[in-house]
Amino acid sequence: MFIFMEVFFLLNITLLMANFIDPRCFWRINLDEIMDEYLGLSCAFILAAVQTPIENDYFNKTLNVLKTTKNHKYALALVFAMDEINRNPDLLPNMSLIIRYSLGHCDGKTVIPTPYLFRKKKESPIPNYFCNEETMCSYLLTGPHWEVSLGFWKHVNSFLSPRILQLTYGPFHSIFSDDEQYPYLYQMAPKDTSLALAMVSFILYFSWNWIGLVIPDDDQGNQFLLELKKQSENKEICFAFVKMISVDDVSFPQNIEMYYNQIVMSSTNVIIIYGETYNFIDLIFRMWEPPILQRIWITTKQLNFPTRKTDISHGTFYGSLTFLPHHGVISGFKNFVQTWFHLRNTDLYLVMQEWKYFNYEDSASTCKIKKNNSSNASFDWLMEQKFDMTFSENSHNIYNAVHAIAHALHEMNLQQADNQAIDNGKGASSHCLKVNSFLRRIYFTNPPGDKVFMKQRVIMQDEYDIVHFVNLSQHLGIKMKLGKFSPYLPHGRHSHLYVDMIELATGRRKMPSSVCSADCSPGFRRLWKEGMAACCFVCSPCPENEISNETNMDQCMNCPEYQYANTEQNKCIQKGVTFLSYEDPLGMALALMAFCFSAFTAVVLCVFVKHHDTPIVKANNRSLSYLLLMSLMFCFLCSFFFIGLPNRAICVLQQITFGIVFTVALSTVLAKTVTVVLAFKVTDPGRRLRNFLVSGTPNYIIPICSLLQCVLCAIWLAVSPPFVDIDEHTLHGHIIIVCNKGSVTAFYCILGYLACLALGSFSVAFLAKNLPDAFNEAKFLTFSMLVFCSVWVTFLPVYHSTKGKHMVAVEIFSILASSAGILGCIFVPKIYIILTRPERNSTQKIREKSYF
């Protein structure tokens, strides 16, 4: 019942492939007696070409001897190829290929190759032996293991060379590559010259870079390792481990446990298995727990993965991905087997362990499965379908070997017929030498369309099929073709994979990843620590204002001058332009303050003008009061030069206006202070100081001080005037447009000069604050200068601790605060008397009590 359930599951898979012409889904029933085809079994044949007609039932008698053996599939492939050639009138006419001997397991018993087997006998116990063709060359087919072929070669070379040409159908082995040592031996298997390139191309297709490698500890394993490293060079592919396994390792249980820990516990998810290490790996597999079977195995030969009978889940990736030389489809093999064995379709499941596939091209339109829970009905449906059988790799090699012999003989016969040559040679040795010369350079296309090139005894095979093997249980095996490798594919993509087949085979849309380190996403860069492989790295964030906009970048890039890195540091963003604008809340508040103070100053000036004849206005020089109010108004208004988008003219006006109007204000305060001192010091009409006061000499202080400030400003403009500057670093993501003062020294000279005027006024006023009389304004002048100096002393450290537009705001606030301090200390008390206490604004009241 269980086997029928497996068949039902298989039907659902194969039916999904009905729309493909090229077969991509294969299956077979695994019987107990044919489960393992790699147990070291040997199978050899001695072939000959005879001119004697063979009997019609010759192949029947031959197959009757061979059909009960485990390796009878090789005999079937051999007989199929020979029958195909013998029936072809255009290939090797008037000659027939026959089997002289079958050796090893092919005849039902193990026969050790000895010279006795190759001696001439008048009568042979084997029914298909022809002893009347002693002058023709014989052909020995050996395999599937190279040790078997080497053993046969030693005996053949010692006693029968060159009367027998040997062809091996097992995997290619470098030991037979020496033409001088093995002049009459040919390997039919491809040399795998492109295998390393194919595997690397496949690995790069899935972006894997962390690979494990298991190879035999011999010359062939070392050669493959060198080729694989050569193809992997500069492609960021690293090896998690490279385990070279020798034959002796299998004999020690402690070695198996050691390799189990090294291979199974490795951090890689992809492991390449190459060469004659399959038996050892198969032994390790049987120790694994099911979760470990999620590894991806890349092989050159089918591996039988052990699975539990109850575990047929496709949610986990089982099996192996195998690179097999590409072969065309050999048609007619199933009919041949049915004909010679007189079998029905159902019997083929039991007789042949070869892979089978449905012929959807013929039956896709009628292929339908009724939804039936009965597995017997599904199995009956399977028995009725049309399917074909495929050759195994070794069977393909046997097939090509027979055709190579036939084509070599055919070419030799054609040349002899054209040249009407007379064969003066005697015996099989002379015939073998001639056949060998043709076989060495023969090139032909076999019936399936594969090109066979025998030069240097190597079949040049560049294309590979990528197939997925999995044993769903002990009874059911599935093979799916996932894609192909060909160096002739366009656009440099050597691997072409069928995405739908990958999903069908693995149950996943994407293959599992196998990387040493996860990709560094944009915004990070790769860093390597000492001792780390090229594929192993750590991801480090990009430095400030640097980006990486691709995956796995080694270096971060600086953003252009007018751009900045975003928070994720994966792209540059255009910096926003900012300045102290009227739309900015801070700029709006300062502008409003400047406007209010300016308006208030204008109101005070109007009040003073309106009450210009009152004693308070006339006290301490009315003209100086008017000038001071106007200069303070300009001080407030000059703040507007600091708000808004600056340009070169604005930058110049900012500092020059600030310096000059403040100089006028402070020099006016100084003149008022000097006037107060002179007014109280000069009581004698005859004294000289009285002439200074009467003549208005203190008023000259204002133009003289202002002239000096103008000279300093002119020098500043001549040496290094203010200009528009761009601040890219103060505020992240913004370009701040500010006015650069040009010469910082000149700026501080301006401030220093203003400080001298303020200190001078403060000192004179402080000395005159206790002078008698109600007209003494010295106290308020003293407090105003104290406020002024306090503001600008505080300005210096705050100004240097801020950046960008906040520096401008600090300067504006200092201008407003210092100007408001002068305005409030000097004029607010007077406005209070004028507006709220008019009765006190009289000469009599002022003389009665000092209000100032």
Side-chain angles (χ1 to χ4, degrees), residues 829-846:
K830 295 180 180 182
I831 292 296
Y832 175 77
I833 297 298
I834 294 173
L835 297 180
T836 63
R837 297 288 188 268
E839 70 278 3
R840 296 182 181 179
N841 189 10
S842 64
T843 305
Q844 182 181 357
K845 290 291 183 182
I846 293 176

Side-chain angles (χ1 to χ4, degrees), residues 9 294 311-318 505-508:
F9 174 77
Q294 295 181 17
D311 188 6
I312 317 180
S313 171
H314 273 251
T316 306
F317 181 70
Y318 293 99
T506 64
R508 302 179 180 182

Side-chain angles (χ1 to χ4, degrees), residues 554-701:
D554 297 337
Q555 296 293 335
C556 297
M557 303 179 298
N558 287 312
C559 285
E561 186 176 0
Y562 298 111
Q563 294 182 348
Y564 71 100
N566 62 345
T567 306
E568 293 77 16
Q569 291 185 283
N570 56 13
K571 65 179 180 179
C572 291
I573 302 176
Q574 192 71 28
K575 290 183 177 180
V577 177
T578 184
F579 50 88
L580 188 61
S581 65
Y582 291 101
E583 291 79 13
D584 190 292
L586 181 59
M588 187 182 300
L590 293 174
L592 183 61
M593 291 174 60
F595 176 78
C596 292
F597 282 125
S598 301
F600 181 73
T601 306
V603 171
V604 172
L605 180 60
C606 292
V607 171
F608 266 57
V609 172
K610 183 178 180 181
H611 299 85
H612 64 282
D613 290 330
T614 61
I616 293 180
V617 175
K618 292 192 299 181
N620 300 108
N621 199 326
R622 178 175 49 191
S623 300
L624 292 179
S625 296
Y626 292 159
L627 181 60
L628 179 59
L629 285 171
M630 286 189 291
S631 63
L632 288 177
M633 186 185 304
F634 282 111
C635 287
F636 289 125
L637 291 176
C638 78
S639 301
F640 289 99
F641 285 126
F642 293 83
I643 304 174
L645 181 64
N647 54 48
R648 185 176 181 84
I650 292 295
C651 290
V652 172
L653 288 175
Q654 280 182 3
Q655 308 303 328
I656 301 303
T657 305
F658 160 72
I660 292 177
V661 297
F662 263 86
T663 300
V664 173
L666 292 177
S667 60
T668 301
V669 173
L670 180 60
K672 287 176 70 68
T673 307
V674 172
T675 300
V676 171
V677 173
L678 290 178
F680 286 97
K681 291 291 184 182
V682 180
T683 56
D684 186 0
R687 297 186 63 176
R688 186 180 300 177
L689 290 177
R690 182 178 180 83
N691 296 331
F692 283 105
L693 180 61
V694 174
S695 62
T697 302
N699 294 336
Y700 291 103
I701 295 176

Side-chain angles (χ1 to χ4, degrees), residues 708-772:
L708 291 176
Q709 185 71 288
C710 290
V711 172
L712 291 176
C713 291
I715 296 173
W716 184 3
L717 295 179
V719 175
S720 180
F723 60 90
V724 179
D725 195 10
I726 295 176
D727 183 1
E728 306 167 358
H729 310 290
T730 300
L731 185 60
H732 179 71
H734 293 82
I735 298 175
I736 303 176
I737 301 179
V738 295
C739 287
N740 191 302
K741 294 178 172 53
S743 175
V744 179
T745 303
F747 173 70
Y748 285 112
C749 287
I750 297 296
L751 288 183
Y753 182 72
L754 294 176
C756 291
L757 291 178
L759 290 175
S761 300
F762 174 78
S763 300
V764 174
F766 182 78
L767 294 175
K769 64 181 177 54
N770 293 323
L771 292 176

